[in-house]
Amino acid sequence: MTEETLPPPDDSSPGRPANQAARMPGWLPRAMVLALALVACFRLATWAFDQLTGLLLNILIAFFLGLAVEPAVDRMAARGVRRGVATALVFLGILISVAGFFALLGSMLADQIVKMVEDFPKYLDQLIRWANETFHTDLSRVQIQDSLLHSDWLQKYAKDSADNVLDVSTAVLGGLFQVLTVTLFAFYFAADGPRLRRALCSVLPPHRQTEVLRAWEIAVAKTGGYLYSRGLMALISGVAHYVLLQCLGVPYAPALAVWVGLISQFIPTIGTYLAGALPMLIAFTVDPWYSVWVFGFVVVYQQFENYLLQPRITAKTVDIHPAVAFGSVIAGTALLGAVGALIAIPATATLQAFLGVYIKRYEVTDDPRVRGGAKRERGDSTLTRLRGALSRRG
């Protein structure tokens, strides 16, 4: 008698325990713990990045500043000066220049503010006389002064300003701390540049080391070229505005010219307007029409610089198309604000030069569409066919 093969027992049969039927796979608890750990690490990394964004931006600025001063440090180190001492001398020269500029500018502003306060009643009388003659009113300086002194908005503004003194002081101290942080990191980047490159290359294979060193060298060259081009344009702008201010007889023409040159070139997007506002204000104290002349000159010179001067200088130093430079500034501003706008051009020039080493280029065929003569070629071929048809009829 043959033994019949019985079917395998059903897990859902009434005789099988319920806990065995709904048994959890062994990998599921570990997967859940791993997923929770990944989510926790992601949240922790996001929180840390948000907290360290300011520090990372300061380090990024310091890195490009260190790249900018490294050629000067290398030249001094090649002449036998210790690298730390050479870096300290370069930063000391920058500090003295910046401090002297702001000291000269501060004394000029103080004198002009005192002069404007002293001449304010005269300007107010002229404005009141013009309003009375134009609109047939009967205003007086005493009435206007009393209404201003007893106005609610002035008292509220004075109270808010007194309450915000602590906030302003905190902001100033925070700005000074950021400047010190950037300066300290930039000093170490410039002074320990070779050591930093050696430490970075020590964890890379030899063929990667060559690429990193080439990228570093390109970044130094492009950043230095960018600052050189900005400095050259600042010099040209300062000289042009100095000639205008000197011809108009505006006081403190040298300091104002330096202000216009530096601010218009090294503060992106709004630098031109900030630079032109101060000379206009000082020129207004001499003659109100002089401020109009200064404004017109600033606008005209800005167009000359954007369309004629900057493309030629930038092409020789940074080698980047003006449209690409403009787009990189917009992208940098959208990503990192003013810091991104400031470092966008040297970063883009570095990336473009680095990619140009590895992207293979080919010879372009001699095609009319490449030479921009497609329309002319079509016209020539039409004329040729017409001449052929006429000759066949003849």
Side-chain angles (χ1 to χ4, degrees), residues 55-394:
L55 178 61
L56 295 177
L57 286 178
N58 291 334
I59 294 177
L60 184 62
I61 298 173
F63 177 71
F64 276 95
L65 181 59
L67 292 179
V69 302
E70 189 169 351
V73 175
D74 290 338
R75 283 192 290 268
M76 296 180 66
R79 297 181 180 180
V81 183
R82 295 182 56 184
R83 193 169 184 88
V85 177
T87 307
L89 291 176
V90 171
F91 275 93
L92 182 61
I94 296 175
L95 178 62
I96 292 175
S97 302
V98 172
F101 169 69
F102 279 105
L104 180 62
L105 188 65
S107 62
M108 177 197 68
L109 287 177
D111 293 341
Q112 292 301 314
I113 289 174
V114 171
K115 186 176 183 300
M116 290 179 65
V117 170
E118 293 176 350
D119 295 340
F120 180 75
K122 182 180 68 174
Y123 296 136
L124 185 58
D125 290 337
Q126 294 177 357
L127 181 61
I128 292 173
R129 189 181 307 110
W130 175 81
N132 291 333
E133 294 176 356
T134 304
F135 301 103
H136 305 287
T137 57
D138 191 14
L139 300 176
S140 64
R141 177 154 53 93
V142 177
Q143 293 176 354
I144 295 177
Q145 290 177 350
D146 290 340
S147 61
L148 288 176
L149 292 176
H150 295 89
S151 60
D152 295 335
W153 68 269
L154 183 60
Q155 295 177 2
K156 184 178 181 300
Y157 177 76
K159 184 178 180 300
D160 294 341
S161 299
D163 295 336
N164 293 332
V165 170
L166 182 60
D167 296 338
V168 173
S169 302
T170 304
V172 171
L173 292 177
L176 291 176
F177 180 75
Q178 288 185 351
V179 170
L180 291 176
T181 302
V182 171
T183 304
L184 183 62
F185 276 108
F187 178 85
Y188 285 125
F189 281 138
D192 294 337
R195 188 183 306 174
L196 181 61
R197 289 191 288 270
R198 189 179 302 111
L200 183 61
C201 292
S202 63
V203 297
L204 298 174
H207 64 282
R208 295 296 180 186
Q209 294 178 12
T210 304
E211 296 178 359
V212 169
L213 294 177
R214 182 184 294 112
W216 196 293
E217 182 180 0
I218 291 174
V220 171
K222 294 302 179 181
T223 305
Y226 171 72
L227 291 181
Y228 170 76
S229 63
R230 288 294 171 180
L232 183 59
M233 287 190 295
L235 177 62
I236 298 174
S237 176
V239 171
H241 287 85
Y242 170 76
V243 172
L244 172 69
L245 297 174
Q246 193 69 26
C247 293
L248 294 178
V250 178
Y252 301 100
L256 289 174
V258 174
W259 163 268
V260 172
L262 292 179
I263 299 301
S264 63
Q265 300 303 324
F266 290 99
I267 294 183
T269 309
I270 61 173
T272 302
Y273 308 103
L274 292 177
L278 184 59
M280 290 172 56
L281 182 62
I282 304 301
F284 184 83
T285 61
V286 180
D287 190 337
W289 283 105
Y290 286 176
S291 62
V292 178
W293 282 99
V294 173
F295 174 75
F297 184 82
V298 168
V299 172
V300 172
Y301 181 83
Q302 183 66 25
Q303 303 307 314
F304 165 75
E305 181 183 276
N306 290 338
Y307 293 102
L308 295 178
L309 185 62
Q310 182 175 348
R312 286 169 172 77
I313 294 179
T314 305
K316 295 178 185 277
T317 56
V318 186
D319 193 17
I320 183 172
H321 194 273
V324 177
F326 182 70
S328 65
V329 170
I330 295 178
T333 304
L335 293 175
L336 300 176
V339 176
L342 186 62
I343 66 176
I345 293 180
T348 304
T350 301
L351 180 62
Q352 176 180 315
F354 186 70
L355 293 177
V357 177
Y358 297 97
I359 296 178
K360 187 176 181 179
R361 296 182 180 272
Y362 299 92
E363 186 71 22
V364 180
T365 59
D366 189 10
D367 192 276
R369 290 167 293 185
V370 177
R371 291 186 280 108
K375 184 179 295 185
R376 181 176 53 82
E377 287 290 333
R378 286 196 296 268
D380 291 346
S381 60
T382 303
L383 184 60
T384 303
R385 289 196 299 269
L386 181 60
R387 288 177 178 175
L390 292 176
S391 62
R392 284 194 299 272
R393 287 185 179 180

